[in-house]
């Protein structure tokens, strides 16, 4: 048993006292609290003082906070408030704290309306997530350690240069020598010749392991083959480096300015956004980062639910080099570090261009004091090319309609040590919702010995720099609510008609159709991508029918970058990320089914046990019925990365895209009422060859004449 103590203070979360509107912090610029809003500064500070009181009056040692975040109301309580006019659910804070000299973590809940801790558990064998503060500590301890200093000397770095030694502290993944008994970080070591260098061209060959609680280096993994520090020049990419290599930046690109003279076409009520018939709430937490909830579409006055909740629930970046200790590199970046904890403050004109609305992210520091990452979420619009167009050839294409698209983007960027992940949740005027992930930043690197071959587990991307093969696999969590409650999920495969050529049914052999499979049970949903059938997955409402097609209203998941884990079944990678071995898995919705690897993944071996819940437990024997009910899909997508020199010393961003688009949901193209950029009917074309063009900004590149973009 991992639970040392289970203390339950009597409670029910629901509405013990009369509903009240709490004023939230000035930072978030809101008057009222929405049940899914992040905890404000006041709420975080209140939660921590309640928890500190609770622990000190119960005779505990000093505690330090790891997490204080909103415990979202259950779907039932949320919808009771939203749709049945019931009272606001109580605001509840979820906390994770570490107690001095006590193994494991404490977690619990604080009812903020009442001001009391109402549930606390002590979990001996689990480790908390790593915070940015945990990461920032490590370098200092590594530099001071006499054994590290000695190893640096062996690599060719004199003691006087220890200030030029750097490390990226990583979660240790899993290491059987310590398991989860101590809180550990592995320090991936690098060297800079001066503080402005990029250290990634100068990795060191050994790997110290730090106990994050005692701040001691408890071990150093030293390879049997030593690889000295590279004497090559650092591979830099800042201004000075580019000057030295190329004499300066290329000067051919002219400024592009985004002009939105009339401002934005979305509105915000606190964290609830409305844009082009969409309405949804934007939440943010330390783990998943952006969470989009209660997404609806206003279909000419009929407000139709689409998704209850969308988020990136987990990810894993497994590396493919089997040599010790590189097998440990398989970061579960969301569960171990948090897409929220690592989120960047964004800058106008750089990360987002145009007219921007930002939301801040609120966290607690170790002492439980609230702080914010300003401008964590960027909300803006972009031109999105053509929405639709048609011209009639009969009058030389003068009869025409062309409508340009705008998309709304809710984005954040987080940095996982060397890598950057840029997340863009996209909303389109035709009802499509998409997610783009752009990968950039710097490759994780290891040093090569003179004359050593990097293959087949990696690539030499710069002299003596080995970048190992790896994957970036994400788990998208989709909680659908297509056109109301009672949903099913299935898949569509383009399928050739089996009847042979020459047969009566398929004489010419050209027949094909869309084969639809509805997942009846959980086990039916455990599916892989199939590019040859163009497989897509459908979230649908079996209780309704499209009046034209007779098919149930649905949203189709189109996702074509879908590798699955290449590590073997039974490996730590596959055990720690059991969702990563398949493309899709669907389980019935239950209130705590959020993280498919589990709640505490840091240093977890991947062994299932009675008190560990994750996708494996939720799948169970696979016999749960998943038709016409409340369900959650976990979708694995991403890419497998075989590095090349073009990825170094800084990677051009590589995009991964998926969309969910309406099918049989509307009676026609729902974007027909978007105002065309240019429209002329046949009778107008006969009377007057050129219609008025609205765009006064576009002009010809090599002609001083202004103003005409589309006319002949
Ligand atoms: C909330 O804010 C309003 C407006 O600033 C103020 O009048 C009211 O007293 C505040 N309520 C509480 C409970 O602080
Ligand atoms: C994909 O579909 C094709 C055509 O039905 C089938 O032959 C193939 O085995 C499928 N591949 C996978 C991985 O399911
Ligand atoms: C699942 O439940 C639905 C609705 O209750 C029922 O119609 C269907 O037959 C069940 N399917 C299986 C495989 O049990
Ligand atoms: Cu990569």
């Amino acid at each position: 048993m991992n639970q040392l103590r289970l203390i339950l203070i009597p409670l029910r979360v629901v509405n013990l006292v009369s509903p009240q509107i709490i004023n939230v912090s000035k930072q978030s610029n809101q008057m009222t609290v929405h049940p899914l809003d992040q905890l404000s500064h006041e709420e975080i500070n209140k939660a921590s003082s309640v928890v500190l009181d609770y622990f000190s009056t119960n005779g505990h040692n000093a505690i330090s906070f790891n997490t204080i975040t909103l415990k979202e109301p259950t779907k039932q309580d949320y919808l009771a408030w939203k749709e049945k006019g019931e009272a606001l659910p109580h605001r509840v804070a979820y906390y994770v704290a570490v107690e001095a000299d006590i193994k494991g973590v404490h977690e619990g809940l604080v009812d903020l309306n009442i001001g009391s801790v109402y549930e606390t558990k002590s979990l001996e064998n689990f480790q908390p997530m790593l915070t940015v503060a945990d990461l920032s500590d490590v370098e200092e301890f590594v530099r001071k350690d006499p054994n590290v200093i000695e190893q640096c000397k062996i690599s060719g770095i004199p003691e006087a240069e220890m200030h030029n030694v750097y490390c990226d502290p990583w979660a240790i993944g899993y290491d059987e020598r310590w398991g989860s008994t101590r809180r550990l970080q592995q320090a991936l070591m690098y060297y800079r010749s001066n503080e402005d260098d990029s250290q990634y061209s100068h990795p060191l060959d050994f790997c110290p392991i730090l106990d994050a609680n005692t701040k001691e280096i408890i071990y150093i993994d030293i390879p049997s083959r030593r690889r000295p520090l590279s004497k090559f020049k650092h591979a830099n990419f800042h201004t000075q480096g580019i000057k030295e290599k190329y004499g300066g930046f290329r000067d051919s690109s002219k400024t592009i300015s985004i002009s939105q003279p009339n401002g934005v076409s979305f509105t915000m009520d606190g964290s609830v956004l409305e844009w082009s018939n969409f309405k949804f709430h934007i939440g943010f937490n330390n783990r998943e980062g952006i969470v989009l909830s209660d997404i609806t579409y206003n279909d000419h006055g009929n407000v139709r639910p689409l998704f209850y909740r969308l988020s990136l629930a987990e990810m894993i970046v497994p590396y493919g080099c089997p040599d010790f200790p590189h097998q440990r590199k398989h970061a579960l970046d969301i569960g171990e570090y948090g897409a929220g904890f690592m989120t960047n403050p964004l800058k106008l004109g750089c990360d987002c261009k145009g007219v921007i609305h930002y939301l801040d992210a609120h966290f607690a520091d170790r002492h439980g004091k609230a702080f914010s990452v300003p401008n964590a979420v960027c909300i803006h619009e972009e031109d999105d090319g053509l929405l639709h167009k048609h011209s009639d050839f009969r009058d030389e294409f003068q009869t025409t309609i062309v409508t340009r698209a705008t998309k709304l983007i809710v984005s954040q960027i987080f940095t996982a040590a060397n890598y950057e992940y840029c997340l863009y949740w996209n909303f389109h005027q035709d009802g499509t919702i998409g997610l783009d992930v752009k990968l950039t930043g710097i490759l994780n690197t290891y040093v090569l010995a003179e004359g050593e071959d990097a293959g087949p587990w990696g690539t030499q991307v710069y002299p003596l720099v080995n970048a190992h093969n790896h994957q970036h696999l994400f788990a998208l969590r989709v909680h659908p609510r297509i056109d109301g409650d009672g949903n099913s999920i299935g898949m569509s495969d383009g399928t050739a008609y089996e009847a042979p050529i020459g047969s009566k049914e398929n004489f010419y052999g050209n027949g094909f159709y869309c084969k639809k499979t509805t997942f009846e049970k959980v086990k039916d949903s455990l599916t892989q991508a199939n590019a040859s059938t163009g497989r897509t997955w459908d979230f649908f409402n079996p209780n309704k029918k499209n009046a034209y097609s007779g098919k149930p209203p649905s949203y189709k998941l189109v996702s074509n970058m879908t590798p699955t884990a290449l590590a073997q079944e039974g490996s730590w990678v596959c055990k720690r990320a059991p969702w990563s071995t398949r493309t899709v898995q669907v389980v019935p919705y239950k209130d705590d089914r959020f993280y498919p690897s589990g709640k505490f993944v840091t240093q977890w071996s991947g062994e299932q046990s009675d008190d560990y819940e994750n996708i494996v437990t939720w799948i169970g024997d696979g016999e749960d019925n998943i038709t016409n009910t409340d369900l959650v899909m976990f979708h694995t997508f991403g890419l497998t990365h075989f590095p090349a020199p073009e990825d170094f010393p800084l990677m051009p961003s590589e995009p991964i895209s998926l969309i969910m688009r309406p099918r049989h949901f509307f009676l026609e193209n729902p974007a027909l009422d978007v105002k065309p950029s240019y429209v002329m009917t046949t009778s107008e074309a006969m009377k007057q060859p050129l219609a008025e063009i609205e765009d006064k900004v576009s002009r010809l590149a090599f002609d001083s004449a202004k103003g005409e973009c589309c006319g002949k």
Side-chain angles (χ1 to χ4, degrees):
M1 277 300 285
N2 285 328
Q3 277 158 248
L4 280 181
R5 280 161 282 180
L6 178 64
I7 304 155
L8 273 173
I9 289 176
L11 71 131
R12 291 228 334 133
V13 199
V14 243
N15 312 320
L16 288 180
V17 295
S18 60
Q20 49 181 213
I21 307 291
I22 307 167
N23 287 353
V24 299
S25 71
K26 296 277 185 301
Q27 291 95 326
S28 53
N29 227 348
Q30 288 165 245
M31 295 313 289
T32 56
V33 168
H34 181 283
L36 300 173
D37 281 354
Q38 298 178 65
L39 297 181
S40 66
H41 279 210
E42 284 81 352
E43 289 177 314
I44 290 170
N45 292 336
K46 180 169 179 187
S48 62
S49 76
V50 167
V51 173
L52 287 169
D53 265 7
Y54 172 83
F55 276 87
S56 71
T57 54
N58 284 284
H60 288 269
N61 302 336
I63 60 165
S64 80
F65 288 96
N66 173 263
T67 298
I68 299 178
T69 193
L70 175 73
K71 165 78 177 163
E72 291 177 23
T74 63
K75 181 184 175 201
Q76 194 184 359
D77 287 349
Y78 175 79
L79 290 178
W81 166 77
K82 170 83 187 304
E83 293 178 355
K84 299 192 188 122
E86 288 187 19
L88 261 175
H90 279 202
R91 297 283 287 169
V92 176
Y94 169 73
Y95 69 87
V96 175
V98 178
E99 182 176 349
D101 304 321
I102 300 285
K103 268 168 57 173
V105 295
H106 296 285
E107 65 164 353
L109 300 171
V110 179
D111 184 314
L112 292 165
N113 296 48
I114 296 172
S116 68
V117 171
Y118 69 86
E119 190 177 282
T120 168
K121 277 186 204 168
S122 300
L123 305 163
E124 188 189 359
N125 291 328
F126 295 121
Q127 295 296 343
M129 295 167 72
L130 296 170
T131 63
V132 173
D134 293 331
L135 301 180
S136 309
D137 276 356
V138 180
E139 229 150 47
E140 174 195 345
F141 298 106
V142 164
R143 283 179 185 152
K144 286 198 302 226
D145 185 81
N147 296 316
V148 173
I149 294 171
E150 191 194 322
Q151 289 306 316
C152 287
K153 277 187 204 151
I154 294 171
S155 291
I157 303 165
E159 184 164 357
E161 275 212 62
M162 282 308 292
H163 61 284
N164 285 334
V165 170
Y166 289 79
C167 73
D168 281 1
W170 280 36
I172 197 157
Y174 185 74
D175 191 310
E176 67 272 40
R177 292 171 293 181
W178 300 280
S180 50
T181 56
R182 303 175 78 158
R183 192 164 178 225
L184 301 176
Q185 287 172 266
Q186 54 179 329
L188 307 192
M189 303 294 297
Y190 301 94
Y191 168 82
R192 295 182 190 174
S193 64
N194 71 65
E195 64 185 0
D196 288 337
D197 280 338
S198 166
Q199 72 267 20
Y200 295 97
S201 57
H202 288 66
L204 305 181
D205 67 347
F206 58 93
C207 182
I209 294 168
L210 176 105
D211 182 315
N213 290 339
T214 65
K215 313 295 184 197
E216 291 166 304
I217 306 294
I218 61 162
Y219 201 82
I220 303 181
D221 282 318
I222 301 164
S224 48
R225 175 177 192 177
R226 296 312 298 256
R227 297 168 177 88
L229 176 68
S230 156
K231 297 211 161 45
F232 282 91
K233 219 178 145 30
H234 277 69
N236 289 331
F237 47 83
H238 285 293
T239 310
Q240 187 56 30
I242 301 309
K243 217 173 191 168
E244 285 169 17
K245 279 187 265 200
Y246 305 119
F249 296 111
R250 70 174 81 163
D251 58 7
S252 60
S253 353
K254 300 274 191 282
T255 307
I256 292 185
S257 302
I258 310 295
S259 160
Q260 290 170 267
N262 305 319
V264 298
S265 11
F266 60 87
T267 59
M268 297 292 305
D269 175 9
S271 297
V272 175
L273 184 151
E274 274 190 85
W275 178 83
S276 198
N277 303 326
F278 285 109
K279 184 170 182 178
F280 54 92
H281 179 272
I282 305 170
F284 196 94
N285 64 54
N286 59 315
R287 186 148 177 171
E288 299 161 286
I290 291 172
V291 174
L292 303 179
S293 298
D294 194 8
I295 304 172
T296 60
Y297 189 93
N298 186 336
D299 185 6
H300 302 280
N302 179 15
V303 175
R304 303 171 70 187
L306 301 179
F307 295 95
Y308 182 70
R309 195 177 186 279
L310 297 176
S311 68
L312 270 189
E314 191 50 273
M315 61 181 283
I316 189 163
V317 186
Y319 282 72
C321 177
D323 303 337
F324 187 88
H326 304 298
Q327 86 289 348
R328 280 198 307 242
K329 291 191 297 190
H330 55 266
L332 286 150
D333 284 308
I334 290 177
E336 289 177 334
Y337 304 88
F341 274 151
M342 300 183 295
T343 211
N344 288 198
L346 302 177
K347 293 198 171 54
L348 273 176
C350 307
D351 299 304
C352 285
K353 251 174 136 54
V355 183
I356 316 292
H357 180 68
Y358 290 115
L359 300 176
D360 298 346
H362 309 310
F363 305 108
D365 69 12
R366 286 174 184 174
H367 310 288
K369 193 171 163 357
F371 71 96
S372 292
V373 171
N375 303 349
V377 178
C378 165
I379 303 162
H380 79 304
E381 291 160 293
E382 284 182 7
D383 178 271
D384 196 26
L386 286 190
L387 178 60
H388 45 236
K389 163 158 185 156
H390 179 64
S391 303
D392 194 333
F393 67 87
R394 288 172 190 78
D395 57 3
E396 297 170 310
F397 315 110
Q398 290 201 56
T399 300
T400 197
I401 180 165
V402 49
T403 307
R404 289 195 70 82
T406 303
K407 69 174 169 180
L408 174 89
I409 305 164
V410 181
S411 64
Q412 72 166 110
I413 298 175
F414 69 92
T415 302
N418 48 308
Y419 247 88
E420 260 71 22
Y421 295 98
C422 318
L423 310 181
Y424 303 91
W425 296 91
N426 301 319
F427 289 78
H428 300 268
Q429 288 154 313
D430 64 354
T432 299
I433 300 173
L435 172 63
D436 294 346
V437 181
K438 278 188 174 175
L439 281 63
T440 177
I442 306 181
L443 291 164
N444 168 251
T445 54
Y446 190 62
V447 57
L448 283 166
E450 204 69 57
E452 183 183 2
D453 185 0
W457 319 120
T459 309
Q460 177 168 290
V461 293
Y462 184 76
L464 304 188
V465 177
N466 184 358
H468 288 147
N469 308 337
H470 59 277
Q471 301 187 281
H472 303 266
L473 303 174
F474 302 87
L476 174 71
R477 183 181 181 278
V478 183
H479 185 175
R481 198 170 176 239
I482 306 296
D483 227 359
D485 294 316
N487 276 197
S488 295
I489 297 180
M491 61 186 179
S492 296
D493 289 285
T495 302
Y497 187 17
E498 306 76 6
I501 290 187
S503 67
K504 202 170 115 232
E505 301 82 2
N506 195 17
F507 192 80
Y508 299 99
N510 63 302
F512 65 85
Y513 62 103
C514 178
K515 182 172 168 189
K516 295 214 177 259
T517 313
T518 296
F519 302 142
E520 298 256 330
K521 291 183 170 182
V522 166
K523 64 180 181 194
D524 306 328
S525 76
L526 310 181
T527 48
Q528 304 289 357
N530 191 335
S532 45
T533 64
R535 178 168 289 172
T536 57
W537 288 267
D538 304 307
F539 308 97
F540 63 96
N541 190 323
N543 308 299
K544 301 197 172 160
K545 256 190 197 160
N546 184 293
Y548 292 171
S549 68
K551 301 226 160 68
S554 73
Y555 260 65
K556 172 210 279 273
L557 169 66
V558 184
S559 180
N560 295 318
M561 292 178 79
T562 48
T564 48
L566 291 167
Q568 287 186 23
E569 206 184 317
S571 61
W572 279 327
V573 169
C574 294
K575 288 197 291 188
R576 285 165 49 83
W579 47 272
S580 70
T581 61
R582 48 180 104 83
T583 315
V584 156
Q585 41 235 307
V586 180
V587 295
Y589 168 77
K590 291 216 173 114
D591 289 334
D592 280 322
R593 293 184 166 176
F594 284 110
Y595 310 121
S597 277
K599 189 151 68 167
F600 291 104
V601 296
T602 311
Q603 288 177 247
W604 169 60
S605 67
E607 294 306 327
Q608 296 293 140
S609 59
D610 290 347
D611 58 358
Y612 198 84
E613 264 207 38
N614 66 8
I615 188 77
V616 175
T617 343
W618 306 335
I619 290 172
D621 63 5
E623 290 295 325
D624 282 353
N625 187 335
I626 47 167
T627 57
N628 198 6
T629 183
D630 198 0
L631 31 82
V632 179
M633 176 197 277
F634 293 92
H635 166 53
T636 306
F637 70 96
L639 56 82
T640 300
H641 191 170
F642 298 108
E646 289 87 345
D647 298 340
F648 202 70
L650 180 64
M651 265 177 297
S653 63
E654 178 165 9
I656 309 172
S657 290
L658 59 83
I659 56 170
M660 293 181 284
R661 58 188 310 229
R663 302 270 84 190
H664 313 283
F665 193 88
F666 298 109
L667 284 179
E668 62 176 359
N669 174 354
L672 290 182
D673 59 354
V674 176
K675 194 176 177 206
S677 318
Y678 180 82
V679 59
M680 185 177 282
T681 62
T682 304
S683 60
E684 284 165 354
M686 284 190 318
K687 275 187 266 170
Q688 176 206 352
L690 269 184
E692 183 105 347
I693 293 151
E694 261 193 25
D695 184 357
K696 301 280 192 268
V697 177
S698 302
R699 59 192 168 91
L700 297 173
F702 302 110
D703 189 330
S704 53
K706 283 193 177 183
E708 291 179 1
C709 79
C710 320
K712 289 178 50 173

